Amino acid sequence: MGPVLFVLALAVLAWVFVVGDLVRRHRPVWHWYLIGYPVTACRVVLTWRKVAVLNDLAVSRRPPRGLLGDLVVKGDPVRPIAPRASFPRATRMGLTVTVRLHAGQTPATYMKAADALVHAWRVHAVRVTSPERGLVLLSAMATDPLQRPGLATAPAELLSAPIGALESGGAWVMNLRLVPHWLIAGATRSGKSTLLARLVTQLAPQPVALVGIDCKGGMELGLFAGRLSALATCRREAVAVLSALVVDMQERMNACRTAGVRSIWELPDKPRPVPVVVLVDEIAELYLSDGTREGKAEAEQCSTLLLRIAQLGAALGLHLVVAGQRVGSDLGPGVTALRAQLGGRICHRVNDPGTAEMTLGDLNKDAVAVAQAITPEERGVAVCTGPDGGWSRARSHLTPTDEAVATARKFAGMTPELPAITRALAALEGENK
């Protein structure tokens, strides 16, 4: 019977291995709940005290120093006590652990220990957040959820665009009603242009006006010209377009004041002006000057007009989406002032730490470090802010150029007319002749 039992045991092990591998490949969530989570949870429980001691998360009831006569004697903490941690709670392809801080501890200590937790628990990443004072939430992810993100869905709303998937597995949504203005930073081939294309395809079927400012001769936004109410391809045209939008903004103010309301969203549907989304590609081209008096004047005009729209446009249905490879204070004080008005932030891989700091530094220092860790292979991956003030890693859905162009052409008939901009560009063309 011995050899028979041995063969049967081998057959069972082989069957479990084959079936487990099939489940892991085709049903990774099932595999995680059935096998991955129990093993990882046991690993968390068994290693917690050792990891806490080795990474200065544990404290002693006695101080590490004392008085011996007139001498101060220092030594290692006696019987260190690890922070109290909850039992690991399973999430989709991950788990969470709630830790109660010792007196005097801060979440920063746990952020420094995140890499140690990754290796001890053998997971892809550990994120540290503080949901309330005195508590730290450790969120472990078994695998990279952004390596092959699914097509997450979100409710259809005006000025809301599902553009990708969050690291948590939810939909990544740019909702311009909640966060009216956005700043997008990213180096070449980081996914910035793909995100803009995705945004256009999501906004194209909606009753909104899209205005493009692309001072690279319209190379990027010119592909969607059929759905754009206006397109500026140089700085002089940008000044004309932005000036016309400021005039239109004044008219919207008058309409709201006459009706006795504070925003256009309180107006009846019929007289309500159409919402306008201004897409600016490569913001540096608007701020850099060639040294001439005319160039400096145009740069200052662009800075002033963009800032006015950002400050006053949210309640009037004027929204800014500003993108650039480099966003730094060296472009002038106008960029810093504009940045302060752009509540939504998205940072892809960047070439210099200053751009990541400019994009996310005033909101969360930890987000800057995560953004700087994005590799060239992670195209489309970015660190984004949410309406609740937090941040997350996310990845935009890949939208091929031909698909984006086809979508823009399909909904070209929905393009609203903006007479003020049309007149401004016509006047500028007449001057050039």
Side-chain angles (χ1 to χ4, degrees):
M1 292 296 294
V4 175
L5 290 176
F6 180 73
V7 171
L8 286 175
L10 287 180
V12 170
L13 288 175
W15 183 82
V16 170
F17 178 79
V18 172
V19 173
D21 185 63
L22 289 174
V23 173
R24 181 180 58 82
R25 285 187 296 170
H26 299 286
R27 292 290 187 271
V29 177
W30 293 7
H31 183 271
W32 166 248
Y33 281 118
L34 293 174
I35 300 175
Y37 164 68
V39 172
T40 307
C42 291
R43 195 176 289 132
V44 170
V45 172
L46 294 175
T47 62
W48 173 244
R49 187 179 185 281
K50 182 178 290 186
V51 172
V53 171
L54 292 177
N55 290 275
D56 298 326
L57 304 180
V59 300
S60 173
R61 296 186 187 275
R62 295 183 180 182
R65 64 180 66 191
L67 283 175
L68 184 62
D70 294 331
L71 298 176
V72 177
V73 180
K74 298 181 180 180
D76 294 331
V78 180
R79 293 182 62 85
I81 301 173
R84 190 169 63 185
S86 68
F87 189 81
R89 181 179 178 181
T91 61
R92 182 184 175 89
M93 298 302 294
L95 55 82
T96 60
V97 178
T98 303
V99 181
R100 186 167 296 277
L101 299 177
H102 285 304
Q105 283 188 325
T106 64
T109 309
Y110 289 79
M111 293 175 183
K112 293 179 181 178
D115 283 343
L117 296 174
V118 167
H119 291 284
W121 298 348
R122 301 179 189 177
V123 293
H124 169 71
V126 174
R127 308 293 178 211
V128 181
T129 56
S130 181
E132 60 180 276
R133 297 184 186 277
L135 295 180
V136 161
L137 181 67
L138 305 178
S139 303
M141 283 151 285
T143 59
D144 186 0
L146 302 181
Q147 188 173 8
R148 293 181 180 177
L151 189 63
T153 58
E157 297 180 49
L158 181 64
L159 290 172
S160 180
I163 56 175
L166 297 173
E167 192 174 46
S168 62
W172 181 16
V173 180
M174 285 181 66
N175 191 328
L176 299 176
R177 290 289 301 276
L178 294 178
V179 184
H181 309 303
W182 289 77
L183 173 62
I184 304 172
T188 302
R189 301 186 67 80
S190 65
K192 174 170 57 66
S193 297
T194 300
L195 188 147
L196 286 176
R198 176 72 182 179
L199 180 60
V200 170
T201 59
Q202 293 300 302
L203 293 178
Q206 302 183 26
V208 300
L210 302 177
V211 175
I213 298 178
D214 182 0
C215 290
K216 296 187 295 183
M219 291 172 53
E220 296 288 346
L221 299 180
L223 299 173
F224 320 117
R227 183 57 182 85
L228 299 180
S229 297
L231 175 63
T233 59
C234 65
R235 192 160 54 192
R236 287 194 66 192
E237 293 180 355
V239 171
V241 167
L242 293 174
S243 299
L245 285 173
V246 170
V247 171
D248 181 60
M249 188 169 63
Q250 298 289 342
E251 295 176 356
R252 295 176 183 227
M253 288 181 190
N254 295 335
C256 290
R257 185 174 62 250
T258 302
V261 297
R262 294 182 176 179
S263 75
I264 67 167
W265 305 110
E266 299 177 38
L267 294 172
D269 292 344
K270 210 166 186 180
R272 180 187 300 154
V274 63
V276 179
V277 180
V278 183
L279 306 171
V280 182
D281 190 33
E282 203 48 66
I283 184 65
E285 292 297 320
L286 296 181
Y287 284 86
L288 291 176
S289 171
D290 55 5
T292 63
R293 181 179 300 178
E294 183 181 4
K296 291 180 180 179
E298 287 180 352
E300 290 179 3
Q301 281 182 292
C302 286
S303 175
T304 302
L305 294 169
L306 282 172
L307 186 57
R308 290 197 66 189
I309 293 173
Q311 288 177 334
L312 305 173
L316 302 171
L318 296 177
H319 306 275
L320 288 177
V321 179
V322 178
Q325 295 184 38
R326 184 173 59 87
V327 182
S329 56
D330 58 315
L331 297 179
V335 173
T336 304
L338 178 63
R339 186 271 309 260
Q341 300 296 328
L342 306 178
R345 309 289 177 82
I346 299 173
C347 186
H348 295 84
R349 176 183 58 83
V350 292
N351 292 326
D352 62 295
T355 297
E357 180 70 30
M358 188 74 169
T359 307
L360 301 169
D362 61 328
L363 300 179
N364 194 298
K365 296 294 183 182
D366 302 317
V368 176
V370 175
Q372 289 177 316
I374 299 174
T375 63
E377 290 74 26
E378 296 178 297
R379 289 193 63 186
V381 174
V383 174
C384 66
T385 57
D388 58 350
W391 62 272
S392 175
R393 287 177 83 243
R395 191 169 207 157
S396 57
H397 292 307
L398 178 60
T399 303
T401 303
D402 54 351
E403 178 184 335
V405 172
T407 303
R409 289 175 179 170
K410 178 181 178 181
F411 295 101
M414 295 181 60
T415 306
E417 292 185 5
L418 300 177
I421 296 181
T422 303
R423 290 193 298 268
L425 292 177
L428 183 62
E429 187 177 352
E431 292 177 6
N432 293 335
K433 289 181 179 178

